Amino acid sequence: MSAALGSVATTESSLAVDAKALHKSFGPLQVLRGIDLTVQRGEVVCLLGPSGSGKSTLLRCINHLERLDAGELRVYGELVGYRRRGNGLQELSERAVNRQRQRVGMVFQRFNLFPHMTALQNVIEAPIRVQREPKADAVANAKRLLSQVGLSDKTDSYPSQLSGGQQQRVAIARALAMRPELMLFDEPTSALDPELVGEVLTVMRELAGQGMTMVVVTHEIGFAREAADTVVFLDGGVIVEAGPPSTVLTAPKHPRTADFLRRVL
């Protein structure tokens, strides 16, 4: 895997993500309670925390898969999901939101591959249909990406013929095929058998090493220690502690962070 897995486009802001006072509730349940978070271009941020702490919801808000109740969220300087109108905000059309999402690749816990399509067909689907890329170009790029995630011999395999780790690597290649500026990973190894986790983390480490901006929800403390520039610990919908992994994972300042690390380690 020597060539670059993704390309980072020039953007209008050095901040990949700029989140201010984010609030999100589901009925009476407050999931995000005033989140402030910045992610620099080229930075790898790992979100840690117990189940229900708001990590996945925060990730989904960045891609406008969940709508905020309050606060402001920008990706590379562009307001996500809304535009300013007078003193308020007006929600963008679905078409405009989809245009914004093309800048962001997302990999989920479940692989979400189309079961009736081969690995190659899964990777070329969005570039052809959404970005109107010529099929020959999409196929060439897809083969390159599948080779770089170690699946050059699986281009004609269907998801049912692939292991979980292989399916997740296809999902990563599929996200990269859209040439995103920002990659979001929502616990990408949580659905995998333990022996398959390493092959996915290897691809993610290489992406990080090549300068891809990444926000990763994970319980893989080893990956966070090795690949993250910043570790953010959430609990109860708030950021409890954030900093370099050498500090947060080795000498946490908050007792809640220390207790969490004792339990997961």
Side-chain angles (χ1 to χ4, degrees), residues 11-261:
T11 52
E12 63 271 27
S13 172
S14 63
L15 284 180
V17 178
D18 187 9
K20 297 178 180 177
L22 304 188
H23 288 261
K24 176 64 181 178
S25 296
F26 296 100
L29 179 63
Q30 287 186 298
V31 180
L32 300 180
R33 300 188 294 150
I35 294 287
D36 293 318
L37 177 70
T38 58
V39 179
Q40 298 287 336
R41 183 190 303 170
E43 187 178 13
V44 178
V45 174
C46 284
L47 306 180
L48 305 181
S51 297
S53 60
K55 307 182 301 297
S56 293
T57 298
L58 174 56
L59 209 67
R60 291 173 64 84
C61 286
I62 293 173
N63 213 15
H64 203 59
L65 294 173
E66 298 289 352
R67 289 162 172 76
L68 294 170
D69 296 325
E72 185 173 285
L73 180 57
R74 294 179 181 272
V75 171
Y76 289 108
E78 186 176 10
L79 197 61
V80 174
Y82 300 90
R83 65 179 177 183
R84 291 213 168 273
R85 188 160 188 172
N87 294 325
L89 296 177
Q90 180 183 44
E91 189 164 11
L92 295 177
S93 67
E94 188 63 25
R95 182 177 180 179
V97 170
N98 286 335
R99 178 191 58 78
Q100 289 185 332
R101 288 187 182 132
Q102 291 183 40
R103 308 177 76 177
V104 182
M106 189 159 184
V107 178
F108 299 87
Q109 297 177 35
R110 297 290 175 179
F111 324 121
N112 295 334
L113 299 179
F114 295 114
H116 62 290
M117 293 183 178
T118 65
L120 182 68
Q121 290 169 334
N122 266 281
V123 176
I124 68 174
E125 177 73 4
I128 290 175
R129 289 187 177 273
V130 178
Q131 295 184 331
R132 305 299 182 188
E133 187 172 338
K135 184 174 181 180
D137 293 346
V139 168
N141 190 47
K143 287 182 176 179
R144 178 182 64 83
L145 289 169
L146 287 169
S147 175
Q148 290 171 357
V149 298
L151 295 174
S152 58
D153 59 337
K154 300 295 183 182
T155 57
D156 296 324
S157 298
Y158 290 89
S160 61
Q161 299 171 314
L162 301 174
S163 70
Q166 289 170 334
Q167 290 184 61
Q168 192 62 296
R169 284 185 281 156
V170 172
I172 293 172
R174 179 180 60 180
L176 292 172
M178 297 292 283
R179 297 176 175 85
E181 301 172 54
L182 168 67
M183 285 287 288
L184 308 177
F185 293 87
D186 189 4
E187 298 193 48
T189 61
S190 64
L192 301 179
D193 294 332
E195 64 269 23
L196 301 177
V197 169
E199 62 191 56
V200 174
L201 294 181
T202 295
V203 173
M204 294 172 62
R205 286 189 188 95
E206 186 160 333
L207 268 179
Q210 292 166 357
M212 175 62 77
T213 310
M214 298 164 57
V215 182
V216 184
V217 173
T218 185
H219 290 295
E220 299 291 338
I221 303 300
F223 172 81
R225 182 178 289 112
E226 295 170 18
D229 298 296
T230 302
V231 172
V232 177
F233 177 70
L234 291 91
D235 191 28
V238 299
I239 293 176
V240 175
E241 187 167 352
S246 58
T247 300
V248 176
L249 300 179
T250 304
K253 298 177 182 178
H254 198 284
R256 182 66 186 93
T257 313
D259 181 61
F260 173 81
L261 292 172

